[in-house]
Amino acid sequence: MSILEYNGAAIIAMAGKDCVGIAADTRLGVQAQTVACDFKKVFKMGDKLFVGLAGLATDVQTLEQLLKFRKNLYELKEEREMKPKVFSALLSSILYEKRFGPYFAEPVVAGLDDEGKPFLSAMDLIGAPVYTDDFVVSGTCTGNLYGMCETLYKPDLEPDDLFETLAQALLASVDRDALSGWGGVVHIITKEGVTSRELKGRQD
């Protein structure tokens, strides 16, 4: 078993028409034993910027605190908000710094840039990034998530359709994975603001 599979996770980020969405499950487990059903894996880093962290729960929480700290330092020094692309580069360098004893987390970054266009990126535990304009996935059921996203995704989805697509892709994927599921959360980011909805999943 990989240490990345110890607690279980499922995270998707998807781009729509001038909007972007990020969804995650809420299960915290110790292998097959479920410990909690309300564990946060997606964190708000700015008005139009979210990061999802899949992997070892302790490192997820450590990284979230470190990212908030580094982002606040940047904004104090630069006197401007951090853009998603810059945040992604910061996260990549934080992970690569610790490459010989890495944080066991595989992040997904989702946000809107200054023009209101979607930004998506994901990386492995040593910060090697991938940028895309449709969807990225992370967690213990990435095969299922890719399959569902490739089936349901259409370009230029409206915010409500993007929510429906993310919710269905997430719920269908975690049903076939014993380490993730037990509910979910979906955040839709638009120019107007963020809409967050909780999903009820199967409890088995």
Side-chain angles (χ1 to χ4, degrees), residues 17-34:
K17 187 180 182 186
D18 299 329
C19 61
V20 67
I22 185 164
D25 72 315
T26 52
R27 178 182 182 269
L28 171 66
V30 176
Q31 294 178 70
Q33 180 188 7
T34 301

mmCIF file with all atom_site columns, all heavy atoms in Angstrom, residues 17-34:
data_model
loop_
_atom_site.group_PDB
_atom_site.id
_atom_site.type_symbol
_atom_site.label_atom_id
_atom_site.label_alt_id
_atom_site.label_comp_id
_atom_site.label_asym_id
_atom_site.label_entity_id
_atom_site.label_seq_id
_atom_site.pdbx_PDB_ins_code
_atom_site.Cartn_x
_atom_site.Cartn_y
_atom_site.Cartn_z
_atom_site.occupancy
_atom_site.B_iso_or_equiv
_atom_site.pdbx_formal_charge
_atom_site.auth_seq_id
_atom_site.auth_comp_id
_atom_site.auth_asym_id
_atom_site.auth_atom_id
_atom_site.pdbx_PDB_model_num
ATOM 1   N N   . LYS A 1 17 ? -17.552 27.646 -18.638 1.00 0.00 ? 17 LYS A N   1
ATOM 2   C CA  . LYS A 1 17 ? -17.539 28.909 -19.367 1.00 0.00 ? 17 LYS A CA  1
ATOM 3   C C   . LYS A 1 17 ? -17.421 30.061 -18.365 1.00 0.00 ? 17 LYS A C   1
ATOM 4   O O   . LYS A 1 17 ? -18.370 30.363 -17.648 1.00 0.00 ? 17 LYS A O   1
ATOM 5   C CB  . LYS A 1 17 ? -18.828 29.041 -20.180 1.00 0.00 ? 17 LYS A CB  1
ATOM 6   C CG  . LYS A 1 17 ? -18.831 30.237 -21.113 1.00 0.00 ? 17 LYS A CG  1
ATOM 7   C CD  . LYS A 1 17 ? -20.125 30.312 -21.893 1.00 0.00 ? 17 LYS A CD  1
ATOM 8   C CE  . LYS A 1 17 ? -20.090 31.483 -22.848 1.00 0.00 ? 17 LYS A CE  1
ATOM 9   N NZ  . LYS A 1 17 ? -21.379 31.661 -23.521 1.00 0.00 ? 17 LYS A NZ  1
ATOM 10  N N   . ASP A 1 18 ? -16.236 30.679 -18.305 1.00 0.00 ? 18 ASP A N   1
ATOM 11  C CA  . ASP A 1 18 ? -15.953 31.751 -17.336 1.00 0.00 ? 18 ASP A CA  1
ATOM 12  C C   . ASP A 1 18 ? -16.253 31.329 -15.895 1.00 0.00 ? 18 ASP A C   1
ATOM 13  O O   . ASP A 1 18 ? -16.640 32.151 -15.058 1.00 0.00 ? 18 ASP A O   1
ATOM 14  C CB  . ASP A 1 18 ? -16.751 33.019 -17.677 1.00 0.00 ? 18 ASP A CB  1
ATOM 15  C CG  . ASP A 1 18 ? -16.370 33.560 -19.056 1.00 0.00 ? 18 ASP A CG  1
ATOM 16  O OD1 . ASP A 1 18 ? -15.202 33.385 -19.446 1.00 0.00 ? 18 ASP A OD1 1
ATOM 17  O OD2 . ASP A 1 18 ? -17.249 34.126 -19.732 1.00 0.00 ? 18 ASP A OD2 1
ATOM 18  N N   . CYS A 1 19 ? -16.111 30.039 -15.622 1.00 0.00 ? 19 CYS A N   1
ATOM 19  C CA  . CYS A 1 19 ? -16.273 29.542 -14.245 1.00 0.00 ? 19 CYS A CA  1
ATOM 20  C C   . CYS A 1 19 ? -15.408 28.293 -14.094 1.00 0.00 ? 19 CYS A C   1
ATOM 21  O O   . CYS A 1 19 ? -14.980 27.698 -15.080 1.00 0.00 ? 19 CYS A O   1
ATOM 22  C CB  . CYS A 1 19 ? -17.741 29.227 -13.928 1.00 0.00 ? 19 CYS A CB  1
ATOM 23  S SG  . CYS A 1 19 ? -18.453 27.948 -14.982 1.00 0.00 ? 19 CYS A SG  1
ATOM 24  N N   . VAL A 1 20 ? -15.154 27.927 -12.862 1.00 0.00 ? 20 VAL A N   1
ATOM 25  C CA  . VAL A 1 20 ? -14.362 26.733 -12.593 1.00 0.00 ? 20 VAL A CA  1
ATOM 26  C C   . VAL A 1 20 ? -14.929 26.068 -11.339 1.00 0.00 ? 20 VAL A C   1
ATOM 27  O O   . VAL A 1 20 ? -15.458 26.752 -10.454 1.00 0.00 ? 20 VAL A O   1
ATOM 28  C CB  . VAL A 1 20 ? -12.854 27.099 -12.449 1.00 0.00 ? 20 VAL A CB  1
ATOM 29  C CG1 . VAL A 1 20 ? -12.584 27.931 -11.219 1.00 0.00 ? 20 VAL A CG1 1
ATOM 30  C CG2 . VAL A 1 20 ? -11.977 25.870 -12.450 1.00 0.00 ? 20 VAL A CG2 1
ATOM 31  N N   . GLY A 1 21 ? -14.848 24.760 -11.288 1.00 0.00 ? 21 GLY A N   1
ATOM 32  C CA  . GLY A 1 21 ? -15.396 24.037 -10.132 1.00 0.00 ? 21 GLY A CA  1
ATOM 33  C C   . GLY A 1 21 ? -14.380 23.085 -9.555  1.00 0.00 ? 21 GLY A C   1
ATOM 34  O O   . GLY A 1 21 ? -13.508 22.569 -10.270 1.00 0.00 ? 21 GLY A O   1
ATOM 35  N N   . ILE A 1 22 ? -14.480 22.858 -8.252  1.00 0.00 ? 22 ILE A N   1
ATOM 36  C CA  . ILE A 1 22 ? -13.619 21.865 -7.601  1.00 0.00 ? 22 ILE A CA  1
ATOM 37  C C   . ILE A 1 22 ? -14.483 21.073 -6.620  1.00 0.00 ? 22 ILE A C   1
ATOM 38  O O   . ILE A 1 22 ? -15.299 21.649 -5.903  1.00 0.00 ? 22 ILE A O   1
ATOM 39  C CB  . ILE A 1 22 ? -12.386 22.520 -6.925  1.00 0.00 ? 22 ILE A CB  1
ATOM 40  C CG1 . ILE A 1 22 ? -11.442 21.460 -6.352  1.00 0.00 ? 22 ILE A CG1 1
ATOM 41  C CG2 . ILE A 1 22 ? -12.771 23.558 -5.891  1.00 0.00 ? 22 ILE A CG2 1
ATOM 42  C CD1 . ILE A 1 22 ? -10.046 21.957 -6.017  1.00 0.00 ? 22 ILE A CD1 1
ATOM 43  N N   . ALA A 1 23 ? -14.326 19.755 -6.656  1.00 0.00 ? 23 ALA A N   1
ATOM 44  C CA  . ALA A 1 23 ? -15.149 18.874 -5.816  1.00 0.00 ? 23 ALA A CA  1
ATOM 45  C C   . ALA A 1 23 ? -14.263 17.854 -5.120  1.00 0.00 ? 23 ALA A C   1
ATOM 46  O O   . ALA A 1 23 ? -13.241 17.430 -5.666  1.00 0.00 ? 23 ALA A O   1
ATOM 47  C CB  . ALA A 1 23 ? -16.185 18.157 -6.677  1.00 0.00 ? 23 ALA A CB  1
ATOM 48  N N   . ALA A 1 24 ? -14.661 17.473 -3.906  1.00 0.00 ? 24 ALA A N   1
ATOM 49  C CA  . ALA A 1 24 ? -13.906 16.468 -3.159  1.00 0.00 ? 24 ALA A CA  1
ATOM 50  C C   . ALA A 1 24 ? -14.855 15.661 -2.291  1.00 0.00 ? 24 ALA A C   1
ATOM 51  O O   . ALA A 1 24 ? -15.941 16.128 -1.938  1.00 0.00 ? 24 ALA A O   1
ATOM 52  C CB  . ALA A 1 24 ? -12.844 17.131 -2.286  1.00 0.00 ? 24 ALA A CB  1
ATOM 53  N N   . ASP A 1 25 ? -14.425 14.458 -1.936  1.00 0.00 ? 25 ASP A N   1
ATOM 54  C CA  . ASP A 1 25 ? -15.184 13.676 -0.970  1.00 0.00 ? 25 ASP A CA  1
ATOM 55  C C   . ASP A 1 25 ? -14.836 14.162 0.441   1.00 0.00 ? 25 ASP A C   1
ATOM 56  O O   . ASP A 1 25 ? -13.964 15.021 0.610   1.00 0.00 ? 25 ASP A O   1
ATOM 57  C CB  . ASP A 1 25 ? -14.868 12.185 -1.112  1.00 0.00 ? 25 ASP A CB  1
ATOM 58  C CG  . ASP A 1 25 ? -13.475 11.850 -0.596  1.00 0.00 ? 25 ASP A CG  1
ATOM 59  O OD1 . ASP A 1 25 ? -12.540 12.601 -0.927  1.00 0.00 ? 25 ASP A OD1 1
ATOM 60  O OD2 . ASP A 1 25 ? -13.328 10.870 0.136   1.00 0.00 ? 25 ASP A OD2 1
ATOM 61  N N   . THR A 1 26 ? -15.516 13.623 1.449   1.00 0.00 ? 26 THR A N   1
ATOM 62  C CA  . THR A 1 26 ? -15.302 14.123 2.823   1.00 0.00 ? 26 THR A CA  1
ATOM 63  C C   . THR A 1 26 ? -14.872 13.021 3.798   1.00 0.00 ? 26 THR A C   1
ATOM 64  O O   . THR A 1 26 ? -14.870 13.227 5.000   1.00 0.00 ? 26 THR A O   1
ATOM 65  C CB  . THR A 1 26 ? -16.585 14.787 3.351   1.00 0.00 ? 26 THR A CB  1
ATOM 66  O OG1 . THR A 1 26 ? -17.679 13.891 3.176   1.00 0.00 ? 26 THR A OG1 1
ATOM 67  C CG2 . THR A 1 26 ? -16.880 16.079 2.601   1.00 0.00 ? 26 THR A CG2 1
ATOM 68  N N   . ARG A 1 27 ? -14.500 11.863 3.289   1.00 0.00 ? 27 ARG A N   1
ATOM 69  C CA  . ARG A 1 27 ? -14.159 10.754 4.188   1.00 0.00 ? 27 ARG A CA  1
ATOM 70  C C   . ARG A 1 27 ? -12.729 10.887 4.709   1.00 0.00 ? 27 ARG A C   1
ATOM 71  O O   . ARG A 1 27 ? -11.814 11.219 3.970   1.00 0.00 ? 27 ARG A O   1
ATOM 72  C CB  . ARG A 1 27 ? -14.281 9.415  3.451   1.00 0.00 ? 27 ARG A CB  1
ATOM 73  C CG  . ARG A 1 27 ? -13.900 8.208  4.314   1.00 0.00 ? 27 ARG A CG  1
ATOM 74  C CD  . ARG A 1 27 ? -13.997 6.915  3.508   1.00 0.00 ? 27 ARG A CD  1
ATOM 75  N NE  . ARG A 1 27 ? -13.692 5.755  4.317   1.00 0.00 ? 27 ARG A NE  1
ATOM 76  C CZ  . ARG A 1 27 ? -12.480 5.225  4.460   1.00 0.00 ? 27 ARG A CZ  1
ATOM 77  N NH1 . ARG A 1 27 ? -11.438 5.780  3.851   1.00 0.00 ? 27 ARG A NH1 1
ATOM 78  N NH2 . ARG A 1 27 ? -12.276 4.162  5.209   1.00 0.00 ? 27 ARG A NH2 1
ATOM 79  N N   . LEU A 1 28 ? -12.559 10.622 6.002   1.00 0.00 ? 28 LEU A N   1
ATOM 80  C CA  . LEU A 1 28 ? -11.233 10.424 6.598   1.00 0.00 ? 28 LEU A CA  1
ATOM 81  C C   . LEU A 1 28 ? -11.199 9.007  7.128   1.00 0.00 ? 28 LEU A C   1
ATOM 82  O O   . LEU A 1 28 ? -12.010 8.646  7.990   1.00 0.00 ? 28 LEU A O   1
ATOM 83  C CB  . LEU A 1 28 ? -10.988 11.415 7.741   1.00 0.00 ? 28 LEU A CB  1
ATOM 84  C CG  . LEU A 1 28 ? -9.722  11.144 8.576   1.00 0.00 ? 28 LEU A CG  1
ATOM 85  C CD1 . LEU A 1 28 ? -8.462  11.338 7.751   1.00 0.00 ? 28 LEU A CD1 1
ATOM 86  C CD2 . LEU A 1 28 ? -9.672  12.012 9.810   1.00 0.00 ? 28 LEU A CD2 1
ATOM 87  N N   . GLY A 1 29 ? -10.299 8.207  6.599   1.00 0.00 ? 29 GLY A N   1
ATOM 88  C CA  . GLY A 1 29 ? -10.207 6.818  7.044   1.00 0.00 ? 29 GLY A CA  1
ATOM 89  C C   . GLY A 1 29 ? -8.800  6.458  7.455   1.00 0.00 ? 29 GLY A C   1
ATOM 90  O O   . GLY A 1 29 ? -7.846  7.188  7.183   1.00 0.00 ? 29 GLY A O   1
ATOM 91  N N   . VAL A 1 30 ? -8.700  5.324  8.144   1.00 0.00 ? 30 VAL A N   1
ATOM 92  C CA  . VAL A 1 30 ? -7.400  4.704  8.385   1.00 0.00 ? 30 VAL A CA  1
ATOM 93  C C   . VAL A 1 30 ? -7.481  3.368  7.671   1.00 0.00 ? 30 VAL A C   1
ATOM 94  O O   . VAL A 1 30 ? -8.045  2.410  8.191   1.00 0.00 ? 30 VAL A O   1
ATOM 95  C CB  . VAL A 1 30 ? -7.117  4.533  9.893   1.00 0.00 ? 30 VAL A CB  1
ATOM 96  C CG1 . VAL A 1 30 ? -5.808  3.794  10.116  1.00 0.00 ? 30 VAL A CG1 1
ATOM 97  C CG2 . VAL A 1 30 ? -7.077  5.882  10.578  1.00 0.00 ? 30 VAL A CG2 1
ATOM 98  N N   . GLN A 1 31 ? -7.028  3.353  6.431   1.00 0.00 ? 31 GLN A N   1
ATOM 99  C CA  . GLN A 1 31 ? -7.224  2.247  5.500   1.00 0.00 ? 31 GLN A CA  1
ATOM 100 C C   . GLN A 1 31 ? -8.720  1.953  5.385   1.00 0.00 ? 31 GLN A C   1
ATOM 101 O O   . GLN A 1 31 ? -9.471  2.804  4.939   1.00 0.00 ? 31 GLN A O   1
ATOM 102 C CB  . GLN A 1 31 ? -6.369  1.059  5.898   1.00 0.00 ? 31 GLN A CB  1
ATOM 103 C CG  . GLN A 1 31 ? -4.880  1.382  5.758   1.00 0.00 ? 31 GLN A CG  1
ATOM 104 C CD  . GLN A 1 31 ? -3.969  0.271  6.170   1.00 0.00 ? 31 GLN A CD  1
ATOM 105 O OE1 . GLN A 1 31 ? -3.866  -0.749 5.507   1.00 0.00 ? 31 GLN A OE1 1
ATOM 106 N NE2 . GLN A 1 31 ? -3.282  0.476  7.269   1.00 0.00 ? 31 GLN A NE2 1
ATOM 107 N N   . ALA A 1 32 ? -9.185  0.772  5.810   1.00 0.00 ? 32 ALA A N   1
ATOM 108 C CA  . ALA A 1 32 ? -10.600 0.421  5.613   1.00 0.00 ? 32 ALA A CA  1
ATOM 109 C C   . ALA A 1 32 ? -11.514 0.956  6.715   1.00 0.00 ? 32 ALA A C   1
ATOM 110 O O   . ALA A 1 32 ? -12.732 0.938  6.573   1.00 0.00 ? 32 ALA A O   1
ATOM 111 C CB  . ALA A 1 32 ? -10.752 -1.081 5.502   1.00 0.00 ? 32 ALA A CB  1
ATOM 112 N N   . GLN A 1 33 ? -10.929 1.432  7.805   1.00 0.00 ? 33 GLN A N   1
ATOM 113 C CA  . GLN A 1 33 ? -11.742 1.942  8.919   1.00 0.00 ? 33 GLN A CA  1
ATOM 114 C C   . GLN A 1 33 ? -12.049 3.421  8.711   1.00 0.00 ? 33 GLN A C   1
ATOM 115 O O   . GLN A 1 33 ? -11.140 4.223  8.509   1.00 0.00 ? 33 GLN A O   1
ATOM 116 C CB  . GLN A 1 33 ? -10.983 1.747  10.234  1.00 0.00 ? 33 GLN A CB  1
ATOM 117 C CG  . GLN A 1 33 ? -11.758 2.255  11.440  1.00 0.00 ? 33 GLN A CG  1
ATOM 118 C CD  . GLN A 1 33 ? -10.923 2.235  12.710  1.00 0.00 ? 33 GLN A CD  1
ATOM 119 O OE1 . GLN A 1 33 ? -9.722  1.963  12.666  1.00 0.00 ? 33 GLN A OE1 1
ATOM 120 N NE2 . GLN A 1 33 ? -11.544 2.507  13.831  1.00 0.00 ? 33 GLN A NE2 1
ATOM 121 N N   . THR A 1 34 ? -13.330 3.783  8.775   1.00 0.00 ? 34 THR A N   1
ATOM 122 C CA  . THR A 1 34 ? -13.723 5.186  8.617   1.00 0.00 ? 34 THR A CA  1
ATOM 123 C C   . THR A 1 34 ? -13.686 5.888  9.967   1.00 0.00 ? 34 THR A C   1
ATOM 124 O O   . THR A 1 34 ? -14.263 5.404  10.937  1.00 0.00 ? 34 THR A O   1
ATOM 125 C CB  . THR A 1 34 ? -15.130 5.292  8.000   1.00 0.00 ? 34 THR A CB  1
ATOM 126 O OG1 . THR A 1 34 ? -15.103 4.642  6.727   1.00 0.00 ? 34 THR A OG1 1
ATOM 127 C CG2 . THR A 1 34 ? -15.539 6.738  7.792   1.00 0.00 ? 34 THR A CG2 1
#
